[in-house]
Amino acid sequence: MSTTAGAFLAGGIAACGAVTATHPFETVKIRMQLQGELQDKGHQPHHYRGPLHGVSVIVRNEGLRGVYRGIGCAYIYQVLLNGCRLGFYEPMRDALTTLIFKDGKTQSLGVNMFCGAASGVMGAAAGSPFFLVKTRLQSYSPFLPVGTQHRYRNAWDGMTQIYRGEGVRGLYRGVGAAMIRTGFGSSVQLPTYFFAKRRLQRHLGMEEGAPLHLASSTASGFVVCVVMHPPDTIMSRMYNQNGNLYAGVFDCLAKTIKTEGVLAIYKGFLPHLARILPHTILTLTLAEQTNKLVRRLEGRFLPSAALKTV
């Protein structure tokens, strides 16, 4: 790995590349999670029926700009989230395994999951205001509205309106759900990636390179989506609520299941999978490449003593 700062930078750059390709599916996912919110099953609209149908409906009615609503906030959030997740994971894991096992190279699933969750929670807390505004921008539609509609001209206007109306606390509305959601996803993303990578190398003889990174990222992305989607649905609803529709994470979960059924927490799963698989593949694959680039830059500009400490 690079230095902590270098890994943060590499992770952020990789995530921005990934989010550019997958943002349209994120928009569809959020709208599917919000459509029919707290409505009985027989009275729920079905404007968006899947990843491809959703993208086509939005593009047809709102143009390409519609599926890329909130992309600026998404970039900032991804830099903060994945910068923390990829930048702090390895230093935390190394320090904890050294403390517990006296050897930083020891692999422990429990330690790996804890460090993955902790680094993800840090990133989610740092980026929560940007994810809040991103969610509200993406849910807005002048043609087929779902959920509460927020009329923001852009990300800055959204931040300003929220701050003026609710203060700093308003910008961190739903941060608890975001931390739970990201903690769930992060606890399995990097551990399953490195687990799959080691198994593929050991049992299938795959060598370091793009095919190995692709296969490991695919396995990791699927596991992340299954684990993270229920809290992701709760987070989207809490971010998008106006006033105090939900008192908290568990209140939102209870109301959703009571009104719409248990499967409601998996609304938008297919567009989420369509987003998270390529997103995880691109993020982790690009992270491998950007990390190598950052290491080369660090080797050129940083003194050797600084590099020996990482």
Side-chain angles (χ1 to χ4, degrees):
M1 293 291 288
S2 309
T3 62
T4 300
F8 186 102
L9 178 62
I13 293 172
C16 285
V19 81
T20 302
T22 61
H23 193 75
F25 292 127
E26 172 76 0
T27 302
V28 175
K29 180 208 74 174
I30 286 173
R31 294 192 184 186
M32 287 186 69
Q33 288 173 326
L34 295 173
Q35 68 180 356
E37 184 176 14
L38 298 186
Q39 295 179 20
D40 294 331
K41 290 182 180 179
H43 301 90
Q44 295 180 10
H46 296 282
H47 301 313
Y48 311 100
R49 299 174 184 172
L52 297 179
H53 177 263
V55 169
S56 67
V57 167
I58 296 171
V59 170
R60 186 166 61 249
N61 289 292
E62 303 172 45
L64 197 60
R65 183 181 179 183
V67 291
Y68 276 98
R69 290 185 189 277
I71 187 68
C73 283
Y75 284 142
I76 299 171
Y77 175 76
Q78 289 297 333
V79 167
L80 293 171
L81 172 65
N82 287 288
C84 289
R85 194 152 55 181
L86 298 176
F88 297 137
Y89 170 78
E90 191 61 29
M92 290 173 62
R93 190 204 64 78
D94 183 70
L96 204 53
T97 51
T98 300
L99 179 66
I100 297 173
F101 301 105
K102 311 303 181 186
D103 182 5
K105 294 182 179 179
T106 301
Q107 291 295 331
S108 166
L109 181 60
V111 170
N112 292 353
M113 291 184 69
F114 173 79
C115 293
S119 60
V121 165
M122 291 165 60
S128 185
F130 299 99
F131 205 107
L132 168 69
V133 176
K134 180 189 79 70
T135 299
R136 294 184 175 187
L137 285 169
Q138 288 177 295
S139 67
Y140 175 75
S141 173
F143 296 95
L144 295 171
V146 292
T148 303
Q149 296 289 281
H150 303 271
R151 300 177 70 91
Y152 301 146
R153 293 191 301 273
N154 49 48
W156 180 252
D157 180 54
M159 288 275 191
T160 303
Q161 285 193 40
I162 295 169
Y163 179 75
R164 286 175 179 170
E166 305 173 60
V168 174
R169 185 177 181 180
L171 290 171
Y172 279 91
R173 176 192 291 271
V175 67
M179 292 168 70
I180 293 172
R181 171 246 193 200
T182 309
F184 276 29
S186 298
S187 69
V188 297
Q189 185 188 49
L190 290 179
T192 54
Y193 174 76
F194 289 120
F195 178 83
K197 189 177 178 182
R198 288 195 300 273
R199 289 297 177 271
L200 290 169
Q201 287 176 314
R202 182 179 301 175
H203 299 297
L204 297 182
M206 295 185 70
E207 297 181 353
E208 190 72 24
L212 176 62
H213 301 162
L214 183 66
S216 304
S217 300
T218 301
S220 176
F222 181 78
V223 174
V224 167
C225 192
V226 172
V227 170
M228 192 171 70
H229 192 79
D232 186 86
T233 300
I234 300 305
M235 182 198 68
S236 293
R237 294 187 170 198
M238 290 194 66
Y239 271 160
N240 197 59
Q241 71 171 327
N242 205 12
N244 295 300
L245 181 62
Y246 305 113
V249 173
F250 294 107
D251 181 55
C252 181
L253 178 64
K255 285 180 177 177
T256 299
I257 293 176
K258 182 179 179 180
T259 309
E260 304 170 55
V262 176
L263 293 181
I265 58 175
Y266 272 96
K267 277 186 175 181
F269 178 79
L270 288 181
H272 193 184
L273 188 63
R275 182 198 75 86
I276 209 166
L277 272 182
H279 182 88
T280 304
I281 290 167
L282 287 169
T283 297
L284 295 178
T285 303
L286 288 172
E288 295 269 11
Q289 308 309 317
T290 52
N291 193 59
K292 290 176 183 177
L293 174 62
V294 169
R295 276 201 73 82
R296 284 201 296 269
L297 292 173
E298 288 176 342
R300 180 175 299 180
F301 296 108
L302 289 182
S304 56
L307 296 175
K308 288 178 181 178
T309 61
V310 299

